[in-house]
Amino acid sequence: GEDLMELPMGDEEKIPSEEEVDKANTLRGDAMRAGSGGEVEEAVKLLGEAISLNPHSAVLYAKRAQMLLRLKKANNAARDAEKAVKLNPNNALAHKCLGKAFRLLGKWEESALSLSQGQKCDYDDDTQELLKTIVKPNAEKLRAARLKEGI
């Protein structure tokens, strides 16, 4: 996978003010518009600013993971998605992004677990299709190979 980028990860000690939370939400909206317009790098930058203001928001890390996946930055997306899951274990987007990042990294069993967890939080047909047709078959092949080798 690619090297980890120098992205703002937020100060866990920070207690954001109401103004900072509002500003972070505004930046998130700006980032989503940038992403929709194809300006994915700009979206990542804006979400980084939002994370610096409100480092306790799982959704900000999950959204940045989603944008990083669009840039095929699987290691970076996994780092953000793991942080989001830690902040909110019920964030479906975080689990699904983590699963997609693991898929890009060839970690099929981890991918299957994360995608399944995301589906439990919030089911969608596209993720189910990805699980059924690509991720689970590859995870099964890995398991079968390990059994054959007696590992």
Side-chain angles (χ1 to χ4, degrees):
E2 83 289 356
D3 289 338
L4 288 177
M5 299 157 68
E6 286 290 321
L7 295 171
M9 290 307 290
D11 172 9
E12 288 182 17
E13 305 297 308
K14 179 180 173 68
I15 309 292
S17 68
E18 240 176 271
E19 290 79 22
E20 287 172 320
V21 171
D22 288 346
K23 176 80 174 123
N25 288 335
T26 300
L27 285 164
R28 182 178 98 192
D30 294 345
M32 293 300 95
R33 275 189 292 284
S36 297
E39 295 175 48
V40 184
E41 284 96 348
E42 178 65 11
V44 169
K45 188 174 117 348
L46 291 166
L47 286 163
E49 290 173 32
I51 285 167
S52 296
L53 290 169
N54 186 8
H56 306 286
S57 169
V59 73
L60 294 176
Y61 292 97
K63 292 282 187 190
R64 189 169 69 179
Q66 189 178 38
M67 293 297 160
L68 288 163
L69 282 172
R70 285 176 59 187
L71 296 171
K72 301 285 186 258
K73 302 279 188 198
N75 285 327
N76 290 280
R79 177 177 63 178
D80 274 5
E82 283 173 336
K83 175 81 175 187
V85 166
K86 203 171 100 183
L87 289 167
N88 178 2
N90 297 316
N91 186 305
L93 179 62
H95 287 290
K96 290 174 186 180
C97 286
L98 189 54
K100 288 172 184 173
F102 283 146
R103 174 196 169 200
L104 291 177
L105 296 167
K107 296 180 177 181
W108 298 106
E109 289 162 299
E110 294 91 334
S111 177
L113 276 173
S114 292
L115 290 172
S116 298
Q117 193 58 46
Q119 288 292 76
K120 280 185 201 151
C121 299
D122 182 24
Y123 182 92
D124 75 82
D125 292 333
D126 290 346
T127 301
Q128 198 55 33
E129 189 63 19
L130 177 65
L131 255 171
K132 203 172 73 191
T133 59
I134 298 172
V135 176
K136 278 187 175 166
N138 280 300
E140 289 301 324
K141 278 183 211 154
L142 267 179
R143 267 195 288 279
R146 270 208 311 274
L147 285 173
K148 205 166 142 187
E149 292 164 15
I151 299 172

